[in-house]
Amino acid sequence: MTGEPTTKPATALLVLGCPQVPVQTSIALYLINRLKKAGITPVVAGNRSANTLLVVSDPDRHYLGEVIDLDRAVALITEKKRDFDQCFVFIHNDAGVSYAATMGAISRAKLYALVYGEHFDEQVKKIEFPCTIIAAKAVHNPLPLKKAIDEVAPWAA
């Protein structure tokens, strides 16, 4: 033993809802890649459809690591069995805003609201809790949201 304290690697939770808007999967994989390169361990929590899209998109798990059910993740955090350093909630509808508010209330993680879709500006107005908002009108083309994420560079925080 060296007597030196061991530091636990930083972790990030990506909360994915219904993958109705096409950019969600590509932006999730992009964010996972950037977080991993920064030494942050990403965990994906989504509904069955969102998780399946990611698993099928990365079958050899080059980017994707742990994937869990969204309701299970909420339960684990609520029961204080697990928590994260950062939490990225993907928002394109009211349910996404609700999940972000829930994560802000139950987790100690630094909260990021990734708001996208045709009516992203309407969803931004509904966010009345502390978080960093990253927003862009991105439906089929992920580049506007990628650019907004890159400007914030949450992996460098």
Side-chain angles (χ1 to χ4, degrees):
M1 290 186 84
T2 62
E4 295 176 24
T6 58
T7 56
K8 195 171 120 183
T11 58
L13 181 67
L14 281 69
V15 176
L16 306 179
C18 176
Q20 180 181 5
V21 179
V23 299
Q24 178 174 273
T25 301
S26 61
I27 290 296
L29 286 170
Y30 173 74
L31 186 55
I32 289 165
N33 180 51
R34 291 303 305 251
L35 291 167
K36 284 179 118 177
K37 282 184 175 183
I40 300 167
T41 303
V43 174
V44 172
N47 66 26
R48 182 182 296 256
S49 296
N51 288 349
T52 300
L53 277 170
L54 284 171
V55 170
V56 169
S57 297
D58 187 18
D60 293 328
R61 300 281 178 114
H62 293 290
Y63 302 103
L64 198 57
E66 184 180 358
V67 178
I68 60 177
D69 176 76
L70 180 53
D71 292 330
R72 179 165 154 60
V74 170
L76 289 170
I77 295 168
T78 301
E79 296 166 3
K80 306 289 186 216
K81 293 181 180 175
R82 190 147 188 206
D83 209 348
F84 300 86
D85 300 302
Q86 296 176 311
C87 180
F88 298 87
V89 181
F90 286 65
I91 300 171
H92 69 88
N93 59 21
D94 291 347
V97 175
S98 295
Y99 272 112
T102 298
M103 289 300 172
I106 66 173
S107 176
R108 65 169 176 76
K110 177 164 177 46
L111 184 61
Y112 295 89
L114 301 178
V115 189
Y116 56 96
E118 186 71 30
H119 306 288
F120 77 99
D121 48 347
E122 293 172 21
Q123 297 304 324
V124 167
K125 291 175 187 172
K126 297 174 185 175
I127 298 173
E128 298 177 346
F129 45 86
C131 67
T132 299
I133 298 172
I134 302 172
K137 184 175 183 175
V139 179
H140 294 96
N141 179 2
L143 292 179
L145 187 56
K146 177 194 173 294
K147 180 180 177 189
I149 292 169
D150 288 345
E151 288 173 0
V152 174
W155 46 83

